[in-house]
Amino acid sequence: MNEAVRLETRAAADSRSAGGVLTIDLGALAQNYRRLCARSAPAPVAAVVKADAYGLGAARVVPVLHEAGCRDFFVAHLVEAVRLKPYLPADARLYVLNGLLPGGERLCADLGAIPVLNSLDQIRAWSRLAAALGKPLVAALQVDTGMARLGLSFDEMELLAADPAPLAGITLRLIMSHLACADEPELEANPRQLAVLHAASGLFPGVPVSFANSGGVFLGADYHGDLARPGVALYGGTANPAEPPMQPVVRLDVRVIQTRTVPAGTAVGYGGTHVTERETRIATLSAGYADGLPRSLGNRGAAYWGGIRLPILGRVSMDSLMVDVSALAPDALPPGARVELIGAHQTLEAIAADADTISYEILTRLGQRYHRQYKNPETRIGTSGQRQA
Ligand SMILES: *Cc1c(COP(=O)(O)O)cnc(C)c1O
């Protein structure tokens, strides 16, 4: 058997052995990228692919976005840059948002990754390395404009502009900052942050500016700067509640292990936190919190089958959860049947709301036990001679 056939056979086997199927639509990903590009034009659009492209697989996501024209990619941790580097096309730039932890400078330089320098200490360390290597090193510089998370204060930016000696040997490719409330367009915090960024970037004329995350792209041209930097909207998350939703990228179906009918008064799951009020038909599904379904969905969330809501009964277990399938015909869900957790009837945002969290957390926790199926992989480069739109 050749390698391709062996892998295909293995993939088919995985889909039977896994408790659920996670379908990732790379065509929808590319569509979302193009929509963000249209919205932020003429500013080009980078892609934030930290946390393994929000759980979807950076090695699969990066080539698709590159094919769509993306040349700037952001991860958060240096270790992510190390892992992503083999999949990064040669003409793409890779930024590390969290910058440099002591001892990581040489590795970052050897990788050719661009650190986002967040403090004077990080600047000094990068400058020292440039001197030691006898060549200039590229970096982005972050200013904290109102989030108190990462970056130099405005005062530090002023000091640095007045005396740029710490930047010796450093070529600044970007000045950047991050919005704290971009998904709440009406808040005054947004223009306030923008004003600080303008003042700070004005101290370094000629250096391109990057500000907008997904929400920022929809805040208008003032926020686009020279390079937008969305993450979640690429992956189908909502960036601005007033805008039409992005194309859904993720679909999650999990399998039924077993069904049973129990009488009224039956306690369901750990702690017996649900007690049936009437005769109830229960299906046990093969996914739990170890697969990234938050425990907070217990007695709150639901699965769907053919558009019918199947409420979650009791607590979510590590490897399974129970749903009420009394609304379905008794033979509707034989063992192995799939029900929808994320899809046409329950959006990513809806399950996140039921779990009292945000789409980002649902995505980045999607488990490793699902069978992962990538749709439209033909848009990837390097796999075959032919491409489809
Ligand atoms: C995560 C992150 C982004 C992307 O944010 P989204 O809200 O997912 O678009 C952009 N910039 C920085 C600094 C980030 O940490």
Side-chain angles (χ1 to χ4, degrees):
M1 229 190 290
N2 76 30
E3 180 68 4
V5 173
R6 200 181 63 77
L7 287 174
E8 286 293 329
T9 310
R10 171 75 199 287
D14 278 353
S15 73
R16 288 190 301 267
S17 61
V21 178
L22 184 62
T23 307
I24 295 162
D25 186 339
L26 297 174
L29 170 78
Q31 249 177 293
N32 288 337
Y33 179 74
R34 288 193 292 268
R35 177 170 163 200
L36 292 162
C37 287
R39 196 63 184 239
S40 78
V45 177
V48 177
V49 294
K50 61 193 179 187
D52 202 22
Y54 290 45
L56 303 191
R60 302 301 294 266
V61 160
V62 165
V64 172
L65 294 175
H66 183 265
E67 175 79 355
C70 186
R71 293 295 177 271
D72 295 277
F73 296 90
F74 288 81
V75 291
H77 296 186
L78 181 55
V79 69
E80 297 182 300
V82 172
R83 289 178 187 160
L84 190 55
K85 181 72 180 179
Y87 304 97
L88 195 75
D91 64 347
R93 289 168 290 274
L94 184 57
Y95 294 82
V96 181
L97 290 166
N98 284 12
L100 296 168
L101 284 168
E105 298 86 0
R106 184 62 202 254
L107 179 56
C108 189
D110 288 350
L111 271 176
I114 303 172
V116 174
L117 302 176
N118 291 306
S119 69
L120 286 168
D121 280 345
Q122 290 185 1
I123 292 170
R124 290 193 196 98
W126 201 233
S127 173
R128 272 197 305 276
L129 182 62
L133 297 175
K135 61 171 188 186
L137 291 174
V138 177
L141 187 59
Q142 175 147 235
V143 52
D144 172 35
T145 55
M147 192 174 177
R149 187 175 74 170
L150 287 170
L152 280 74
S153 68
F154 179 76
D155 291 353
E156 287 174 316
M157 292 290 277
E158 274 192 316
L159 288 173
L160 197 59
D163 174 14
L167 287 167
I170 298 176
T171 306
L172 285 184
R173 167 136 13 221
L174 273 185
I175 294 201
M176 57 165 277
S177 192
H178 191 49
L179 286 155
C181 309
D183 54 349
E184 296 175 88
E186 66 289 353
L187 293 189
E188 264 309 298
N190 294 314
R192 223 182 300 133
Q193 282 195 261
L194 182 63
V196 179
L197 177 64
H198 279 161
S201 61
L203 300 166
F204 297 85
V207 182
V209 173
S210 176
F211 194 31
N213 66 339
S214 299
V217 170
F218 293 101
L219 286 179
D222 289 350
Y223 289 82
H224 295 161
D226 303 296
L227 180 69
R229 224 172 51 231
V232 79
L234 292 169
Y235 312 114
T238 296
N240 181 325
E243 294 282 334
M246 305 302 292
Q247 287 294 321
V249 175
V250 171
R251 176 179 175 106
L252 176 61
D253 297 285
V254 303
R255 304 178 87 201
V256 173
I257 309 168
Q258 181 175 41
T259 50
R260 78 185 71 240
T261 301
V262 299
T266 303
V268 182
Y270 282 121
T273 61
H274 177 84
V275 177
T276 55
E277 283 171 5
R278 61 187 77 82
E279 186 178 272
T280 303
R281 185 146 182 85
I282 297 173
T284 303
L285 308 182
S286 190
Y289 62 77
D291 302 290
L293 300 175
R295 282 183 83 246
S296 51
L297 288 173
N299 289 317
R300 285 184 59 173
Y304 281 78
W305 188 84
I308 298 168
R309 189 170 190 273
L310 310 174
I312 293 174
L313 300 181
R315 289 186 183 151
V316 174
S317 300
M318 183 188 290
D319 315 296
S320 59
L321 59 83
M322 279 74 86
V323 293
D324 184 342
V325 298
S326 305
L328 304 184
D331 57 353
L333 293 177
R338 292 178 188 173
V339 301
E340 171 192 321
L341 262 299
I342 302 172
H345 304 96
Q346 177 156 264
T347 63
L348 174 63
E349 299 296 342
I351 195 172
D354 274 350
D356 202 15
T357 184
I358 53 176
S359 55
Y360 300 68
E361 193 174 15
I362 298 291
L363 286 174
T364 55
R365 291 187 174 209
L366 286 169
Q368 295 303 315
R369 294 194 293 195
Y370 298 126
H371 173 64
R372 287 181 172 228
Q373 169 176 294
Y374 288 86
K375 259 171 77 178
N376 297 338
E378 64 275 11
T379 58
R380 281 199 310 155
I381 47 168
T383 49
S384 75
Q386 286 208 314
R387 273 196 283 120
Q388 290 175 21

